Amino acid sequence: MKRILVPTDFSAKAENALKVAAELANRFNGEIFLLHMLELPLQLVNPLSGTGNQNLPEALFFMKLAKKKFRELIDSPFLEGIKVHDIVEFHQAFDGIMEVSKEHNCDFIVMGSNGASGLKEVFIGSNTEKVVRNSTIPVLVIKNEHEKFDINNFVFATDCDLEHKHTFNKAIQFAKKINAHLHLVYINTANNFKTSIESSECLKDFVKGENLDELSLNVYNDVTVEKGVLNFAKSINAGLIGISTHGRKGLAHFFNGSISEDLVNHANRPVVTFKI
């Protein structure tokens, strides 16, 4: 978490994410790449489109307005002492986020999200889902304001597929960094039922070779995996939920459904995703 990308539309939700990113940057001596995408019509920004020259002042106006908002935001007390790079790009939001993260070699993304309702905003909504689904680096999705991002209990959901264990290893390292206790949970549903013995053995095989003093193993029964993860997290008052996500286009089904995107939408708690 040395180079943290934070997309912003200057909304309250985006600022909640930025405050968490600032705390992480302070904790790990990192820097923040604050990104605002200007999704303007092509003719405003492309002089080859024929009318670009006459519309150039309008494009410059939006650029200057974004820079002004950046200056005001970067002067916020919670960013004091942190190296912040302000980036304004003319681009489609999702594509721009992916390109900027690679261009600046970012190792972590922190984003705001409104959740299941609406999904109309540029960053705070559907683009969050796209980033979660496709990002090759971990994505932390923040819903609410956190006075302090102090996580004691971190839930990581698994289907016990050994091919996905590398994401669990990433979750272990993340838990160590934020000094949180990791709760590995397998959600047992009627559609994919395992007996108590089978689910317990499944988890033991999955964590073979790991230090069990640093985590707890849990089996939780519920009607769906998504509800199980959310209800288990609530039952232990978890401050963070972790999940693996596919990178293939469309909804490649993990846990018999697009669980990573659903959790991002429906969890009031922060959610961190790791690429399978």
Side-chain angles (χ1 to χ4, degrees):
M1 288 180 280
K2 292 290 187 180
R3 301 170 71 85
I4 304 173
L5 176 62
V6 184
T8 183
D9 62 352
F10 306 111
S11 67
K13 293 290 185 180
E15 187 168 318
N16 291 341
L18 180 57
K19 288 178 179 177
V20 170
E23 189 172 336
L24 294 173
N26 266 323
R27 196 182 305 180
F28 302 109
N29 193 28
E31 52 190 314
I32 291 175
F33 294 82
L34 191 58
L35 170 66
H36 179 67
M37 304 302 303
L38 286 172
E39 292 188 291
L40 300 179
L42 179 64
Q43 64 268 22
L44 288 185
V45 296
N46 184 4
L48 297 180
S49 64
T51 59
N53 289 332
Q54 68 187 58
N55 289 317
L56 188 58
E58 189 172 352
L60 291 175
F61 167 78
F62 285 112
M63 175 69 81
K64 289 181 179 179
L65 183 61
K67 288 290 187 180
K68 179 177 181 292
K69 290 182 177 180
F70 265 131
R71 287 193 298 270
E72 295 171 352
L73 188 57
I74 291 173
D75 286 339
S76 301
F78 64 85
L79 288 173
E80 185 176 355
I82 301 173
K83 188 174 184 180
V84 180
H85 308 268
D86 59 297
I87 305 169
V88 181
E89 294 281 353
F90 295 101
H91 217 308
Q92 294 296 308
F94 165 70
D95 294 332
I97 293 169
M98 293 294 95
E99 287 187 13
V100 169
S101 68
K102 292 177 182 178
E103 179 183 349
H104 295 280
N105 197 28
C106 296
D107 54 21
F108 202 66
I109 298 176
V110 183
M111 298 185 72
S113 176
N114 267 338
S117 62
L119 302 183
K120 296 178 180 178
E121 290 77 7
V122 172
F123 284 111
I124 314 304
S126 59
N127 280 288
T128 304
E129 291 185 359
K130 291 178 184 177
V131 173
V132 162
R133 193 182 310 137
N134 293 281
S135 176
T136 57
I137 59 178
V139 181
L140 175 62
V141 181
I142 300 296
K143 293 292 190 71
N144 305 309
E145 185 172 11
H146 294 263
E147 185 174 339
K148 186 173 177 61
F149 191 69
D150 189 11
I151 305 299
N152 293 318
N153 294 304
F154 172 26
V155 169
F156 186 80
T158 182
D159 62 352
C160 293
D161 188 334
L162 292 176
E163 291 186 4
H164 302 162
K165 188 169 180 178
H166 64 283
T167 61
F168 174 55
N169 292 331
K170 291 178 182 178
I172 291 175
Q173 295 305 313
F174 187 71
K176 289 179 180 178
K177 285 183 179 181
I178 63 174
N179 197 29
H181 183 75
L182 185 62
H183 301 261
L184 183 67
V185 63
Y186 175 85
I187 306 301
N188 207 11
T189 66
N191 288 335
N192 191 24
F193 179 76
K194 291 186 187 323
T195 65
S196 295
I197 293 177
E198 289 172 336
S199 53
S200 178
E201 289 300 318
C202 167
L203 281 174
K204 288 179 182 177
D205 288 342
F206 189 71
V207 301
K208 191 174 294 183
E210 303 294 341
N211 184 357
L212 296 183
D213 292 334
E214 298 177 351
L215 57 99
S216 63
L217 306 183
N218 307 271
V219 177
Y220 193 85
N221 301 319
D222 216 318
V223 293
T224 67
V225 174
E226 179 197 344
K227 288 183 178 179
V229 174
L230 295 175
N231 288 332
F232 175 72
K234 182 179 180 181
S235 73
I236 65 167
N237 194 28
L240 179 66
I241 295 172
I243 198 81
S244 303
T245 183
H246 281 290
R248 296 192 293 270
K249 289 185 178 180
L251 292 181
H253 293 297
F254 181 49
F255 291 152
N256 296 321
S258 53
I259 300 301
S260 58
E261 290 86 359
D262 289 343
L263 280 174
V264 164
N265 278 335
H266 297 116
N268 287 323
R269 291 168 170 80
V271 175
V272 62
T273 65
F274 304 92
K275 172 76 174 293
I276 288 178

